[in-house]
Amino acid sequence: MPDSLPAARALQLAARVDAIEPFRVMEMVKAAAAMTRAGADVISMSVGEPDFTAPDVVAEAAMAAIRAGSTQYTESLGLPALREAISGWYAATHGLDIPPQRIVVTAGASAGLLLACAALVADGDEVLMPDPCYPCNRHFVSAFGGTPVLLPSGPDQRYQLTAAQVDAGWSARTRGVIVASPSNPTGTSMTPAQTRGLLDAVRARGGFAIVDEIYQGLSYGETPVSALAFGDDVVTVNSFSKYFGMTGWRLGWLVLPESLVPAVEKLAQNLFICAPTVAQRAALACFAPEALAIFEARRLEFQRRRDFLVPALRALGFSIPVMPDGAFYVYADIAGLAHPDAHDSAAFGMAVLRDAHVAIVPGGDFGFAAPQRHVRFSYATRYERIEQAVERIAALLRR
Ligand SMILES: Cc1ncc(COP(=O)(O)O)c(C=O)c1O
């Protein structure tokens, strides 16, 4: 052992780190945690995480796998039985024939997005996405040397990218699009006609379409239609995190065009080896009838919360021009509110936390078009707590 350790020194960072912005919402989460530690009763409507966790039958399957020692690496593309179960789920819930060979099990939708971008985005490529959108999407693109191009997508187009925007925004460097339906932060889905139009526009230019369907199980309107119904050249992303309530288990999947599977397999082998084995074995139990009945009951409970929250916020003066039809988010325009910080969502978010003890997310993380006018509410919180939160915000706005 040397007498003394060398002084800590800062290592030179790769340039790509500069393109990655920190999650501003974490400031809010930290401030809320500090208030809670100090004894305040803070209602969290900030995190994008279901308050439900894996059903018992899934937890039991995980424990059985551990006890049986079924914990070795799986194939990089995923446990064959799970790929088959996911394929069966597409047939049962969407009437789609998706062969297991096109399904790749990943460590959450995050690893799916990462693998898809690793396979498709090269230095200097542009990728179109709506503004607002899930913040990590632009960072997945920039991590591989690409440039995310965010196109302002307002309520008149359900906050989703349109075929017309693809036509107008496509440059010689554009390679594809990334969208999510339903969307985080807006909870709005593309209509089937919008999806078809978007995919046709991308296809006409020989580009790729990555469609994140992580929230599609949590849809409250018409039966959702997967982008996979509109062609086998689409990359879709999905996950056990949200609908199946398994955020920390780190499990998701991609459905790929068949020609992309060998490239993604090679990348997965090298970057991750495989998704967590225990989580994969446990996830098999998600497709048991008793688990599916629990997920359906939870979906209805999310819908009940939405049906309370949206009118309640509108009555307080928040503008929500499109009824969110999925996920567990409400993206609300604060510009018309009678509050001194209504011109600045970051200041308004802090005021709501400080004075109403409700944690919400200011728009800044989700894009550049109108972040100061918007906040995101997550209703992945008990119904009674949502009622309380609305009362508190009403009192704050009356002050
Ligand atoms: C739109 C969207 N995609 C992907 C993810 C990442 O999910 P996962 O936990 O499956 O990695 C999230 C998480 O909030 C999300 O909102």
Side-chain angles (χ1 to χ4, degrees), residues 48 107-110 113 134 180 184 212 214-215 239 241-242 247 250 329:
S110 303
L113 286 161
Y134 178 54
N184 176 4
D212 182 345
I214 184 170
Y215 294 108
S239 175
S241 286
K242 314 288 178 169
T247 45
R250 308 313 302 131
Y329 303 118

Side-chain angles (χ1 to χ4, degrees), residues 15-41:
R16 75 174 63 85
V17 180
D18 291 338
I20 313 275
E21 295 154 58
F23 252 139
R24 290 182 192 82
V25 57
M26 294 321 287
E27 293 308 310
M28 192 65 81
V29 171
K30 266 196 279 181
M35 284 178 61
T36 304
R37 275 197 305 277
D41 172 33

Side-chain angles (χ1 to χ4, degrees), residues 152-165:
S153 303
D156 53 320
Q157 54 198 68
R158 303 182 59 74
Y159 302 104
Q160 293 284 359
L161 201 65
T162 62
Q165 283 177 306

Side-chain angles (χ1 to χ4, degrees), residues 98-188:
I98 308 294
Q101 301 86 291
R102 287 179 56 202
I103 296 169
V104 182
V105 179
T106 57
S110 303
L113 286 161
L114 192 79
L115 285 168
C117 288
L120 294 168
V121 179
D123 267 347
D125 289 348
E126 289 180 355
V127 180
L128 308 182
M129 45 192 91
D131 182 337
C133 70
Y134 178 54
C136 301
N137 287 350
R138 56 183 198 263
H139 299 142
F140 285 124
V141 168
S142 56
F144 293 104
T147 304
V149 178
L150 273 72
L151 301 174
S153 303
D156 53 320
Q157 54 198 68
R158 303 182 59 74
Y159 302 104
Q160 293 284 359
L161 201 65
T162 62
Q165 283 177 306
V166 168
D167 289 341
W170 202 273
S171 79
R173 296 182 358 172
T174 309
R175 287 269 289 119
V177 303
I178 304 182
V179 294
S181 178
S183 144
N184 176 4
T186 66
T188 51

